Amino acid sequence: MDFDKDLQSIQEVRWLVAKAVVAQKELAKMSQQKVDGIARAIADACAAQSERLAKMAVEETGFGIWQDKVLKNLLGSAITWDSVKDMKTVGIIKDDRQNGLMEVGVPMGVVAALIPSTNPTSTTMYKSIISIKAGNAIVISPHPNAKNCIIETAKVICEAARKAGAPEGIVQCITLPTMEATDALLKNRNIGIILATGGEAMVRAAYSSGNPALGVGPGNGPAFIEKSANIPVAVKRIMDSKTFDNGTICASEQSIITERCVEQKVVDEVSRQGGYFMTPEESEKLSKFILRANGTMNPKIVGKSAQTLADMAGIRIPAGTRVLVSRQRTVGKDNPYSREKLCPILAFYVEDGWEEACRRSIEILNNEGAGHTMTIHSEDADVIREFALQKPVSRLLVNTPGALGGVGATTGLQPALTLGCGSVGGSATSDNVSPLNLINRRRVAWGLCELEDLRKQQEQMTGVSAAPQSTFGSGSHAGDSCGQSSVFGSGSNAGAACGNSNNGAACGSPEITEDDIARITKAVLQKLGALN
């Protein structure tokens, strides 16, 4: 009897997760050195296969440029490993004797990794390395449109891990990707955390699964060219970014905003460096291909060259055109140029000054891409500071290409292919996700003081005795009461407050009346008033 594909895929997920649970328990017994050896072996193997897998990704998906995907694969493997190799993630990761604190790195268990079609092989490498480095197993859920290159990448990773002594099943990949399989993976009770990189609907599904999740929303980063910027260099960086892998990195610029006083200089430089400013009629033709009827980005434009996009829309462009540019004045869900466009298309806005440009940037980000990334090209430290204080983003990139700066290739940010958007973007983190996001920290804390020490601090703060009145009588054994004879009154039975069945509850927890609380509160308020 043959089962439907969806049923087979659900069963496959159950098997993979069950196997991953067993493998992760074995990995959790290994030392930091052994875990690092496995992660390093994975990075080395992926780097060695970076070109083959890059070509495979472009051939299968039709997105991007294989030469650029080689660099992405190196970012997801060798560069990622180099950035995390010295992190302590297993066993005792911090020992602060002075403050009596110790931290133990505890793996989250099994990572469910959702892989997008835009960066399929590089994201598979990156998520596998950071998961293993953190002591976790990983089950990979490939995008159906990039299934073959993701499965092949997983095979390279599995073989490298096996040779390095990893438990069997520490890295696994779904071979029958279906919506039902992804749903079963996200909701499986044995999943420790979900790493979701993909469309908005997929990220929402991850957060509503009932399991812990780290997801990232869409990018829609504007690039502001301020009047003090080195305009030729600023334009070069934007063009480099927007054409890198044909714009498939979500941190890439989606619009240019500039000031009216330098508008012509920017326009001339964009044109000189391969940007084509479309006429209103041409912009209207192309706009019909940017979004689908349901308001989401049309996958047919993703990762395509400027010439391919022009041919699609039936417009003629000069030879050598790198980016299509459309002048815009409005922002909204129904304006596709003000939305995310993972291809060489840029909106172009002109504002009267940096304050108006600041407001326009916020408008664009609140329309789509809040919490993600934007760039600013400026030599004015005050303007940069104002943008940093006001923009609803997790990464404000200064004088650098957005795509490469956001993922940590040209900046000091953590190299990563999962970029958190913070609470403003509906994400649980604003970090460039690293192994440190995939461990729990068990805190071990030594006692540093006793209750009587806290009472003394209270007295010093309020100027009022912190010892509440006791209902116990006086007696020669009062001093036996936990060494706090001043707390309890004297009486022959007071010493029995420790361990005595009649008064055991009184030890260390004498009754505080409402009058005591009112008195202390009044004293604190008076002291604060005096300080002010």
Side-chain angles (χ1 to χ4, degrees), residues 124 142 146-156 173-177:
T124 303
K147 176 184 72 172
N148 295 330
C149 64
I150 293 172
I151 290 174
E152 182 61 24
T153 304
K155 288 180 180 178
V156 171
C173 184
I174 296 171
T175 61
L176 292 172

Side-chain angles (χ1 to χ4, degrees), residues 222-427:
F224 174 43
I225 302 178
E226 191 259 339
K227 62 186 178 184
S228 70
N230 182 326
I231 292 175
V233 175
V235 171
K236 172 192 177 297
R237 289 166 176 157
I238 293 170
M239 300 294 277
D240 284 348
S241 174
K242 198 57 178 170
T243 57
F244 181 78
D245 204 28
N246 282 341
T248 53
I249 292 181
C250 53
S252 63
E253 298 83 350
Q254 305 300 315
S255 55
I256 292 175
I257 304 172
T258 194
E259 298 180 82
R260 201 168 304 280
C261 61
V262 293
E263 174 188 358
Q264 196 56 51
K265 290 181 180 178
V266 174
V267 169
D268 290 346
E269 195 61 42
V270 169
S271 300
R272 189 182 73 80
Q273 295 193 35
Y276 174 69
F277 283 84
M278 296 180 288
T279 66
E281 294 75 20
E282 291 169 335
S283 291
E284 178 65 22
K285 286 183 179 180
L286 183 61
S287 70
K288 299 181 185 303
F289 292 89
I290 296 175
L291 299 179
R292 292 184 290 189
N294 62 3
T296 61
M297 184 169 45
N298 182 0
K300 292 182 179 179
I301 71 168
V302 175
K304 299 299 190 294
S305 68
Q307 186 62 60
T308 300
L309 295 168
D311 292 343
M312 189 184 298
I315 61 177
R316 299 184 65 180
I317 60 176
T321 295
R322 301 170 67 199
V323 177
L324 303 177
V325 186
S326 176
R327 287 181 174 271
Q328 294 295 312
R329 294 182 179 177
T330 65
V331 173
K333 294 293 185 183
D334 58 347
N335 180 352
Y337 289 103
S338 66
R339 303 278 300 275
E340 182 182 44
K341 308 165 290 296
L342 297 181
C343 59
I345 299 174
L346 284 169
F348 189 83
Y349 294 89
V350 179
E351 306 297 338
D352 288 333
W354 74 261
E355 294 92 344
E356 288 76 12
C358 182
R359 285 190 283 271
R360 179 68 81 184
S361 299
I362 294 172
E363 183 183 15
I364 291 171
L365 290 163
N366 286 334
N367 182 52
E368 186 174 44
H372 208 291
T373 306
M374 80 160 289
T375 60
I376 179 171
H377 299 270
S378 173
E379 299 301 325
D380 190 325
D382 291 334
V383 172
I384 294 169
R385 183 176 183 275
E386 287 302 313
F387 268 66
L389 290 172
Q390 297 185 45
K391 297 301 165 290
V393 293
S394 299
R395 281 156 293 277
L396 177 66
L397 308 176
V398 182
N399 298 330
T400 193
L404 299 168
V407 298
T410 61
T411 63
L413 293 174
Q414 173 67 39
L417 289 164
T418 296
L419 310 181
C421 297
S423 58
V424 68
S427 177

Side-chain angles (χ1 to χ4, degrees), residues 29-30 51 118 121 152 165 218 238 246 295 310 353 355 374 400 406 410 412 438 448 457 465 485 516 520 529:
K29 299 175 184 177
M30 295 182 179
E51 181 176 325
T118 47
T121 54
E152 182 61 24
I238 293 170
N246 282 341
E355 294 92 344
M374 80 160 289
T400 193
T410 61
L438 303 181
L448 300 177
Q457 292 177 18
S465 174
S485 57
D516 293 326
I520 294 170

Side-chain angles (χ1 to χ4, degrees), residues 490-504:
S490 60
S492 60
N493 294 325
C498 283
N500 184 283
S501 60
N502 294 328
N503 298 306

